[in-house]
Amino acid sequence: MKSLEELRAIKEKMKASVNNRNEDDNKVRIVVGMATCGIAAGARPVMTAFLDEIAKRGLDNVAVTQTGCIGMCKLEPLVEVFLPGEEKVTYIKMTPEKAVRVVNDHVVNKNIVTEFTIGSAE
């Protein structure tokens, strides 16, 4: 890198690749629990599956982020989905395959996948 212009060009190029991790009040937010318990239970591949499916579908209104412990370690990997103007939905015991279904059914078609939710554990 030899100039400020080169640095700006790199910045713009990288913005596109991290766009799905930016938060905005009008975006759907998917939050993956990435504390040690979540990672040990398989949260990394779940987060990757969300990012891949969102990129594959070209969904620019969805932000995927991570958080620490959500507090229910026995139900890990945990994912919280926030649709603008709606209540948070907590998904439990997530897998990459379940992540793809959550994107399709909940994020795209606005139908909660109830069999993957916290209420299904009771």
Side-chain angles (χ1 to χ4, degrees), residues 47-108:
M47 184 163 191
T48 300
F50 274 112
L51 290 167
D52 290 349
E53 188 65 16
I54 289 162
K56 181 175 113 180
R57 292 171 174 265
L59 302 174
D60 59 358
N61 67 326
V62 181
V64 180
T65 60
Q66 62 186 39
T67 190
C69 185
I70 296 175
M72 299 174 281
C73 300
K74 70 179 185 172
L75 301 176
E76 292 283 0
L78 290 164
V79 173
E80 296 176 329
V81 176
F82 300 84
L83 270 61
E86 297 185 21
E87 287 189 40
K88 165 186 76 173
V89 176
T90 302
Y91 289 103
I92 62 171
K93 299 181 181 179
M94 290 297 293
T95 65
E97 296 77 22
K98 289 179 179 179
V100 171
R101 183 153 170 224
V102 167
V103 170
N104 181 62
D105 291 4
H106 190 173
V107 175
V108 173

Side-chain angles (χ1 to χ4, degrees), residues 5-6 17-19 36 41 48 56 61 63 72 80 84 92 109:
E5 287 306 311
E6 258 185 275
S17 70
V18 296
N19 189 38
T36 53
T48 300
K56 181 175 113 180
N61 67 326
M72 299 174 281
E80 296 176 329
I92 62 171
N109 295 310

Side-chain angles (χ1 to χ4, degrees), residues 24-29 61 81-87 110:
D24 177 335
D25 288 342
N26 296 318
K27 282 190 171 191
V28 173
R29 288 188 313 127
N61 67 326
V81 176
F82 300 84
L83 270 61
E86 297 185 21
E87 287 189 40
K110 311 293 188 251

